[in-house]
């Protein structure tokens, strides 16, 4: 029950921030907001302030902002209506939702690196026989403190220092109270990265000990580390989407839906606030990026249509726009069904149902 509550809170915050982006931008552009809802479906609670009704609706996995005159059939020619505004103003309103999610992703990363995050130490848990480390005399229990005269604080830093190496490297380890230097020539192995691309990396044949430390930076350094992390995740996400489009990355293995997010949130919550904030950062970033894809229904699709309207100096016909929106809606429904079924299979739900045994 606690995990479900955390899951609802996390998703509600992400959705609230997204809709708040549309809300504030619409206000700034002089568009009247008729409804601002957290969740969708039947209304649980509402309060009206000025011209806006604020609602909490039954199903928390969504939300919406209803703008005055955002449907062509409802236009009355009032200056406060959505369609009375210029293409640029409408684009700002649409873009503000994903942009605010992107800002929240950055803030979450910044907090993660400021309050501290768990990371594996550089202590060696196992040495693989006949690999360079074993042949050089490195032993289980040794702790690597330098790679090529560069100090390393965690396992990830150490990997990043070793893997690009093409020749002999100097590795300094701490064994009991002694500091020992080793000159090791890594073995080049072909492997696949997160995107499924083949690449050559240098390996010395060591495995980590299950020993963790909390790494954290001062707020200034955390700011820049968060920015760098946000850029890295953005590039990785767009590369992943492109590889899925061209069929070089499995769509089935790369996407997850609400059920998958629930399981991931449950696991992240068990690791503490830092892991939960990291998950929130990734989810906000993902929502921002996917919402900006140039597909019907998505914010990116609406921005593309506004660009087309600007070029043509007139909007698409209501009929054409409805057809595009219906196509987009059908795509989303098909995608949602596929992702939900995929999550059921991926997380072993079918195995627990006698019907599927």
């Amino acid at each position: 029950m606690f995990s479900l509550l955390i899951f609802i809170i996390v998703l509600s915050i992400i959705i609230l921030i997204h809709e708040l982006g549309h809300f504030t931008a619409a206000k700034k552009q002089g568009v009247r907001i008729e409804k601002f809802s957290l969740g969708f479906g039947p209304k649980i609670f509402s309060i009206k302030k000025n011209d806006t009704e604020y609602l909490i609706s039954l199903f928390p996995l969504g939300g919406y902002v209803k703008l005055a005159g955002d449907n062509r059939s409802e236009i009355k020619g009032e200056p406060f209506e959505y369609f009375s505004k210029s293409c640029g103003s409408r684009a700002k309103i649409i873009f503000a939702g994903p942009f605010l999610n992107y800002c929240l992703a950055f803030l979450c990363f910044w907090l993660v690196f400021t309050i501290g995050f768990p990371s594996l130490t550089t202590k060696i848990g196992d040495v693989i026989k006949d690999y360079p480390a074993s042949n050089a005399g490195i032993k289980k229990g040794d702790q690597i403190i330098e790679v090529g005269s560069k100090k390393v604080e965690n396992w990830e830093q150490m990997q990043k220092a070793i893997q690009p190496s093409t020749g002999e490297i100097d590795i300094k380890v701490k064994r009991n109270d002694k500091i020992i230097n080793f000159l090791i020539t890594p073995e080049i192995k072909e492997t696949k990265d997160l995107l499924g691309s083949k690449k050559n990396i240098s390996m010395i044949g060591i495995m980590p000990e299950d020993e963790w430390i909390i790494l954290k930076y001062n707020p200034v350094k955390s700011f820049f580390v968060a920015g760098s992390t946000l850029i890295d995740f953005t590039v990785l996400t767009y590369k992943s989407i492109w590889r899925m489009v061209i069929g070089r990355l499995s769509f089935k293995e790369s996407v997850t839906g609400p059920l998958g997010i629930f399981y991931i949130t449950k696991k992240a919550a068990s690791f503490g606030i830092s892991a939960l904030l990291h998950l929130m950062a990734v989810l906000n970033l993902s929502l921002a990026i996917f919402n900006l894809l140039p597909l019907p229904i998505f914010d990116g699709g609406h921005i593309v249509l506004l660009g087309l309207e600007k070029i043509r100096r007139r909007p698409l016909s209501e009929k054409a726009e409805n057809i595009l929106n219906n196509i987009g809606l059908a795509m989303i429904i098909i995608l949602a069904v596929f992702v939900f079924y995929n999550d059921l299979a991926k997380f072993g739900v079918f195995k627990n149902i006698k019907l599927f045994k």
Side-chain angles (χ1 to χ4, degrees):
M1 190 63 185
F2 178 73
S3 298
L4 180 60
L5 180 62
I6 294 294
F7 169 69
I8 291 173
I9 291 172
V10 167
L11 279 190
S12 296
I13 291 172
I14 293 169
I15 294 161
L16 178 64
I17 289 297
H18 182 88
E19 299 304 332
L20 192 60
H22 295 313
F23 178 89
T24 52
K27 282 276 190 184
K28 192 171 182 180
Q29 298 303 317
V31 176
R32 180 178 293 174
I33 292 95
E34 294 180 349
K35 291 183 180 181
F36 180 86
S37 176
L38 179 59
F40 61 94
K43 165 172 77 174
I44 296 176
F45 170 80
S46 72
I47 184 172
K48 191 160 186 177
K49 186 176 180 182
N50 298 326
D51 297 310
T52 306
E53 183 182 9
Y54 299 88
L55 305 92
I56 295 177
S57 300
L58 182 61
F59 304 109
L61 307 181
Y64 64 90
V65 173
K66 175 66 176 72
L67 307 177
D70 61 0
N71 190 315
R72 292 187 190 278
S73 61
E74 299 174 356
I75 297 175
K76 297 177 181 177
E78 299 288 350
F80 55 76
E81 291 180 325
Y82 174 76
F83 275 110
S84 71
K85 302 301 177 182
S86 68
C87 291
S89 294
R90 281 180 275 155
K92 288 176 183 176
I93 294 170
I94 294 169
F95 180 73
F99 176 72
L100 218 57
N101 282 124
Y102 206 76
C103 292
L104 182 58
F106 172 77
L107 178 61
C108 287
F109 278 133
W110 191 9
L111 287 172
V112 166
F113 296 125
T114 302
I115 66 177
F117 57 98
S119 181
L120 283 168
T121 69
T122 56
K123 191 172 184 179
I124 298 170
D126 196 13
V127 181
I128 303 172
K129 188 179 179 182
D130 296 329
Y131 268 75
S134 173
N135 296 335
I138 287 181
K139 298 180 179 179
K140 177 180 178 179
D142 288 349
Q143 184 151 10
I144 297 177
I145 55 176
E146 284 186 19
V147 176
S149 73
K150 182 180 179 181
K151 290 185 178 181
V152 289
E153 296 179 284
N154 59 31
W155 195 265
E156 184 181 1
Q157 286 180 356
M158 184 198 64
Q159 284 181 312
K160 287 182 178 178
I162 293 174
Q163 288 178 355
S165 305
T166 54
E168 193 175 61
I169 51 175
D170 181 19
I171 294 181
K172 186 180 289 186
V173 307
K174 185 177 181 181
R175 182 181 295 169
N176 298 324
D177 293 325
K178 295 182 180 179
I179 305 298
I180 307 172
N181 282 359
F182 293 94
L183 285 174
I184 299 176
T185 303
E187 189 172 315
I188 308 298
K189 289 280 187 180
E190 187 181 82
T191 185
K192 289 185 178 182
D193 60 18
L194 289 172
L195 302 178
S197 299
K198 291 181 179 179
K199 60 182 293 188
N200 292 326
I201 62 169
S202 298
M203 300 176 66
I204 63 173
I206 56 174
M207 302 291 287
E209 182 71 52
D210 188 20
E211 182 179 86
W212 298 79
I213 54 172
I214 299 296
L215 288 181
K216 60 181 178 179
Y217 308 114
N218 65 57
V220 175
K221 185 174 181 180
S222 293
F223 183 91
F224 291 102
V225 174
S228 175
T229 303
L230 193 68
I231 292 169
D232 290 344
F233 265 98
T234 302
V235 172
L236 180 65
T237 303
Y238 275 117
K239 282 184 176 180
S240 300
I241 293 170
W242 174 244
R243 287 182 179 275
M244 282 189 281
V245 169
I246 63 176
R248 295 184 63 183
L249 188 65
S250 170
F251 181 81
K252 182 179 178 181
E253 297 298 324
S254 304
V255 297
T256 192
L259 181 62
I261 295 171
F262 169 71
Y263 278 97
I264 295 168
T265 304
K266 182 179 178 181
K267 190 169 184 180
S270 69
F271 283 104
I273 186 65
S274 184
L276 203 54
L277 283 169
H278 190 276
L279 175 63
M280 278 193 66
V282 174
L283 290 177
N284 272 283
L285 177 61
S286 300
L287 178 62
I289 289 173
F290 278 93
N291 243 296
L292 287 173
L293 291 178
L295 299 172
I297 292 289
F298 289 170
D299 291 337
H302 290 301
I303 291 173
V304 169
L305 290 180
L306 285 173
L308 188 61
E309 180 180 334
K310 183 76 173 177
I311 294 169
R312 297 173 72 238
R313 298 182 182 276
R314 67 181 188 276
L316 289 177
S317 68
E318 188 174 356
K319 182 179 179 181
E321 197 166 318
N322 286 338
I323 289 172
L324 286 174
N325 286 334
N326 288 336
I327 291 171
L329 182 60
M331 289 170 59
I332 289 175
I333 291 172
I334 292 169
L335 178 63
V337 171
F338 171 80
V339 170
F340 185 67
Y341 179 86
N342 189 47
D343 280 350
L344 291 175
K346 188 188 298 184
F347 292 95
V349 175
F350 287 152
K351 293 179 182 178
N352 299 319
I353 302 176
K354 292 182 180 180
L355 180 62
F356 292 91
K357 287 186 176 180

